[in-house]
Amino acid sequence: MKASRVSVVGGVAASAVLLLSVPAFAHVSVSAEGEAAKGGYATVNFKVPNEMDDASTNKLEISFPEDHPLASVMTSPVPGWTAKVTKTKLDKPLEMHGEKIDEAVSKVTWTADGKGVQPGSFQKFPLSIGALPEDADELVFKAVQTYDNKEVVRWIEPQQKGQEEPEHPAPALALTAASDEGHDAAASHDDDAKEDAKSDDESESAASADSSDTTARVLGVVGIVVGVAGVAFGVLAGRRRANS
């Protein structure tokens, strides 16, 4: 009896150790470089780990939230991958920098040109996004990870408050409180454009002033030359009359 109990206890203990030693599978996640302030712009990275021992990730699709559309999404080159940005028409246009935007990015797809994300590796996919919403605390994306053995993993389950993490959680980007710097960054595109235009106007004005000043100087010199020539002609004519 005692031996039996010892065997059972030993088996349970061994099972517990085994469960604790199994590593938790990593999932597709998103994080900002620095802060992701409401109303501003941010550079974010989607981190994609390879969870398989016999296959490589060769495709990643990131779908953007429809309730908080983003008008500006720019990709950064990732060696060995090709990015494609998909846009859709908006039912309700957005206003950015005084202009109405009638379409927003709905999806970004990266496709591997070579080996992709191999077993035991991960890859970061950077994006510049904005303007971030001011009425939300986070942005929830949907990620679809495809392997070269045709298996597809959908990271699309939102995290419910107060509940355990789902098996395939969707990448969520936490947004920080809006700041003056964030608003300044959001308006910097217009400011830069205005400064460039102002600089161009000032350059043109300066060039025009220089041109006018140069023209005046040339005309002044010509006038002096003509005047001197006239005086010289008068003197010569007077001498000829006197000799005659």
Side-chain angles (χ1 to χ4, degrees), residues 40-42 69-73 96 128-132:
Y41 289 77
L70 300 175
S72 176
V73 176
M96 288 184 62
S128 174
I129 61 176
L132 301 176

Side-chain angles (χ1 to χ4, degrees), residues 20 29 49 52 89 109 111-112 131 141 166-167 190 216 224 232 238:
L20 291 174
S29 60
M52 293 191 178
K89 290 288 184 179
T109 303
T111 305
F141 302 84
E167 184 178 0
D190 284 344
I224 292 173

Side-chain angles (χ1 to χ4, degrees), residues 169-184:
L173 176 67
L175 304 181
T176 59
S179 63
D180 292 337
E181 292 181 358
H183 288 294
D184 291 341

Side-chain angles (χ1 to χ4, degrees), residues 178-197:
S179 63
D180 292 337
E181 292 181 358
H183 288 294
D184 291 341
S188 63
H189 300 281
D190 284 344
D191 292 340
D192 290 343
K194 291 178 181 178
E195 287 297 328
D196 291 342

Side-chain angles (χ1 to χ4, degrees), residues 13-201:
S15 298
V17 172
L18 180 61
L19 289 175
L20 291 174
S21 64
V22 174
F25 286 117
H27 49 266
V28 176
S29 60
V30 60
S31 61
E33 294 183 5
E35 291 187 344
K38 299 178 181 180
Y41 289 77
T43 297
V44 301
N45 287 297
F46 287 89
K47 183 179 178 180
V48 181
N50 191 348
E51 298 182 342
M52 293 191 178
D53 297 329
D54 57 352
S56 298
T57 298
N58 61 2
K59 187 178 181 180
L60 174 68
E61 298 172 79
I62 300 295
S63 295
F64 289 74
E66 297 179 357
D67 54 343
H68 296 294
L70 300 175
S72 176
V73 176
M74 294 185 291
T75 62
S76 180
V78 179
W81 294 79
T82 299
K84 178 183 178 182
V85 178
T86 302
K87 295 183 178 182
T88 57
K89 290 288 184 179
L90 296 173
D91 295 332
K92 184 180 179 181
L94 300 174
E95 186 171 338
M96 288 184 62
H97 312 311
E99 297 183 1
K100 287 187 176 181
I101 307 298
D102 60 357
E103 64 179 10
V105 174
S106 58
K107 181 190 296 185
V108 176
T109 303
W110 286 273
T111 305
D113 298 327
K115 296 180 179 179
V117 186
Q118 301 180 62
S121 303
F122 72 89
Q123 177 68 54
K124 288 184 177 181
F125 297 88
L127 289 176
S128 174
I129 61 176
L132 301 176
E134 300 183 9
D135 57 349
D137 294 325
E138 67 175 9
L139 286 179
V140 180
F141 302 84
K142 293 181 179 180
V144 178
Q145 182 179 10
T146 303
Y147 290 85
D148 56 13
N149 63 355
K150 306 302 180 182
E151 185 166 343
V152 177
V153 182
R154 303 180 185 278
W155 305 95
I156 62 174
E157 299 174 334
Q159 174 69 55
Q160 301 297 333
K161 188 175 182 179
Q163 297 185 9
E164 294 182 358
E165 184 180 72
E167 184 178 0
H168 296 97
L173 176 67
L175 304 181
T176 59
S179 63
D180 292 337
E181 292 181 358
H183 288 294
D184 291 341
S188 63
H189 300 281
D190 284 344
D191 292 340
D192 290 343
K194 291 178 181 178
E195 287 297 328
D196 291 342
K198 183 178 179 181
S199 298
D200 292 341
D201 291 341

